[in-house]
């Protein structure tokens, strides 16, 4: 079964969607979209370091994503607005990563595959990384779900309940870095944030509880991955962008249906 490249691609897309869905809800609630974008852009530098040091791509992307997220957290509130700091670091990391890649000699590198993903080239080893990362993220978010939710809704209330908002932010940072490292093979660094945000934003008008929104986002993300894969196969289009296009189409339908429902 796993010898079929389409089966591996489908499993890779679904695993990435399951990892991104619950985290994407917190990204939407906390308005952290640019934070996710900065972390994703830094992954290209991780790819360059991995190739230079002969390390697994997942390891390099994860380490650099963690360093980027930690640096942004440490530097926030020290004279620069968060959006300015994220903009500088995101584009600087992407540019440095692209320059570093150009210095690699004797390495065959398909840069477009890392920028926009290459889900059709997912291997069995990649599947193990994707589903292992998805299990780690889902388990981590489930373990800290109530604490994360409380600190998201009201940090002061969280402190009164004995919770540390900075610690919960660190949990989100770790989970976000894992998702970036996992998703780089499927949709690439330029589209990772879209896979995080769009399914969660699509689910928001129809969810009655935070848990319901996370589950619905997971379903929409998985559906987008499978629909994009099918569309790419039949239309001969780039798979990563097609997955995001399907997710964007579902968002438009969701927004339209929600508006019609409110008027009715």
């Amino acid at each position: 079964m796993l010898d079929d490249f389409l089966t591996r691609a489908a499993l890779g897309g679904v695993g990435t969607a399951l990892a991104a869905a619950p985290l994407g809800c917190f990204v939407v609630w906390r308005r952290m979209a640019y934070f996710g974008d900065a972390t994703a852009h830094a992954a290209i530098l991780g790819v360059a370091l991995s190739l230079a040091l002969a390390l697994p791509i997942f390891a390099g992307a994860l380490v650099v994503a963690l360093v980027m997220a930690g640096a942004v957290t440490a530097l926030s509130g020290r004279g620069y607005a968060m959006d300015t700091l994220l903009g500088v670091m995101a584009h600087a990391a992407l540019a440095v990563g692209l320059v570093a890649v150009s210095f690699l000699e004797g390495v065959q590198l398909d840069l477009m595959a890392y920028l926009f993903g290459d889900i059709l080239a997912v291997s069995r080893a990649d599947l193990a990384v994707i589903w292992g990362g998805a299990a780690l993220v889902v388990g981590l978010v489930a373990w800290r779900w109530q604490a994360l939710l409380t600190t998201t809704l009201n940090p002061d209330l969280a402190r009164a309940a004995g919770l540390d908002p900075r610690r919960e932010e660190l949990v989100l940072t770790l989970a976000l870095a894992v998702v970036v490292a996992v998703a780089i093979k499927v949709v690439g660094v330029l589209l990772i944030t879209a896979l995080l945000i769009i399914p969660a934003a699509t689910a928001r008008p129809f969810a009655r509880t935070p848990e319901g929104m996370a589950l619905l986002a997971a379903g929409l993300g998985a559906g987008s991955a499978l629909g994009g894969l099918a569309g790419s196969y039949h239309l001969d289009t780039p798979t990563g962008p097609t997955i995001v296009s399907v997710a964007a189409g579902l968002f438009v339908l969701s927004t339209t249906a929600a508006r019609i429902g409110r008027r009715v």
Side-chain angles (χ1 to χ4, degrees):
M1 178 180 176
L2 292 181
D3 289 334
D4 187 346
F5 75 98
L6 284 177
T7 301
R8 294 196 302 271
L11 289 173
V14 171
T16 303
L18 293 180
L23 189 60
C25 292
F26 285 102
V27 170
V28 169
W29 293 331
R30 288 173 172 250
R31 300 179 181 178
M32 292 174 59
Y34 212 176
F35 187 88
D37 205 33
T39 307
H41 278 58
I44 281 292
L45 181 56
V47 171
L49 292 176
S50 297
L51 294 174
L53 300 175
L55 296 173
I57 298 298
F58 174 80
L62 178 60
V63 169
V64 173
L66 283 172
V67 170
M68 167 64 79
V72 170
T73 301
L75 293 175
S76 61
R78 298 194 177 187
Y80 292 98
M82 177 61 79
D83 59 342
T84 301
L85 189 62
L86 287 172
V88 170
M89 297 190 70
H91 295 95
L94 179 60
V96 171
L98 293 175
V99 170
V101 166
S102 70
F103 284 110
L104 296 176
E105 297 182 359
V107 176
Q108 294 294 327
L109 176 63
D110 183 5
L111 190 58
M112 295 295 288
Y114 292 107
L115 291 175
F116 296 102
D118 191 9
I119 190 174
L120 297 180
V122 167
S123 65
R124 294 190 179 200
D126 293 328
L127 283 180
V129 169
I130 290 171
W131 279 92
L136 177 61
V137 170
V138 171
L140 185 61
V141 173
W143 173 49
R144 303 301 303 170
W145 178 264
Q146 196 58 52
L148 288 169
L149 196 58
T150 303
T151 54
T152 298
L153 295 173
N154 193 325
D156 293 331
L157 179 63
R159 291 189 187 93
L163 298 173
D164 183 0
R166 297 282 291 183
R167 181 184 62 195
E168 304 311 322
E169 184 177 342
L170 183 61
V171 170
L172 279 180
T173 298
L174 174 62
L176 184 61
V178 173
V179 167
V180 167
V182 163
I184 190 172
K185 186 75 173 182
V186 177
V187 291
V189 299
L190 298 184
L191 302 177
I192 289 172
T193 310
L195 198 62
L196 275 168
I197 297 172
I198 297 178
T202 304
R204 192 170 190 173
F206 304 103
R208 295 293 176 264
T209 64
E211 294 80 6
M213 180 173 165
L215 291 174
L216 184 55
L220 290 168
S224 298
L226 296 176
L229 183 61
S232 172
Y233 180 77
H234 291 292
L235 301 175
D236 193 24
T237 55
T239 309
T242 304
I243 290 173
V244 176
S245 297
V246 171
L250 291 177
F251 173 75
V252 172
L253 292 175
S254 168
T255 303
T256 304
R259 289 183 176 179
I260 293 174
R262 285 195 297 268
R263 291 179 180 178
V264 172

